[in-house]
């Protein structure tokens, strides 16, 4: 299992809001992909210019397929026009899962 987690901080709130429609389409289409267990973007409650990224994938093959999809290309095109101040996204290999509570 893989976790993709990160954040993108936009120069302004308006820059992030330009991506809402593209982001909603991306999330809806990605949830249909085989191997996608979870996929979401959310606004950080302490900084409304920051988008949090959270993805959960069965394996690298599923993530590799995701990067080749038409909806990924469309989202990347929309993202390419955005004014982003900083971005950090990491992939974590998960060796096991257990309930916290």
């Amino acid at each position: 299992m893989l976790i993709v987690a990160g954040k993108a901080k936009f120069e302004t709130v308006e820059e992030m809001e330009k991506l809402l429609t593209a982001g909603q389409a991306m999330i809806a289409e990605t949830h249909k992909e085989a191997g996608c267990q979870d996929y979401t973007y959310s606004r950080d409650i302490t900084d409304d210019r920051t988008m949090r990224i959270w993805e959960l994938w069965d394996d690298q093959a599923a993530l590799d397929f995701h990067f080749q999809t038409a909806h990924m290309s469309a989202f990347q095109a929309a993202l390419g026009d955005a004014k982003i101040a900083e971005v950090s996204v990491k992939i974590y290999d998960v060796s096991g899962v257990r309930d916290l509570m």
Side-chain angles (χ1 to χ4, degrees), residues 19 22 25-26 69-80:
L19 290 172
M26 177 68 158
T69 62
H71 51 274
M72 174 57 96
S73 295
F75 185 72
Q76 289 292 332
L79 196 58

Side-chain angles (χ1 to χ4, degrees), residues 18-37:
K18 289 179 188 177
L19 290 172
L20 291 180
T21 300
Q24 290 167 343
M26 177 68 158
I27 291 167
E29 290 303 310
T30 301
H31 280 155
K32 298 175 188 176
E33 293 177 37
C36 175
Q37 294 184 29

Side-chain angles (χ1 to χ4, degrees), residues 13-70:
V13 171
E14 293 77 20
E15 282 299 310
M16 186 166 70
E17 289 176 348
K18 289 179 188 177
L19 290 172
L20 291 180
T21 300
Q24 290 167 343
M26 177 68 158
I27 291 167
E29 290 303 310
T30 301
H31 280 155
K32 298 175 188 176
E33 293 177 37
C36 175
Q37 294 184 29
D38 196 11
Y39 191 94
T40 190
Y41 306 135
S42 58
R43 182 173 283 171
D44 188 310
I45 63 171
T46 64
D47 181 353
D48 59 1
R49 295 182 307 135
T50 298
M51 178 192 309
R52 295 289 176 171
I53 300 155
W54 170 260
E55 307 173 23
L56 186 59
W57 297 94
D58 285 347
D59 53 33
Q60 188 65 49
L63 183 57
D64 290 344
F65 175 82
H66 170 66
F67 285 122
Q68 303 303 315
T69 62

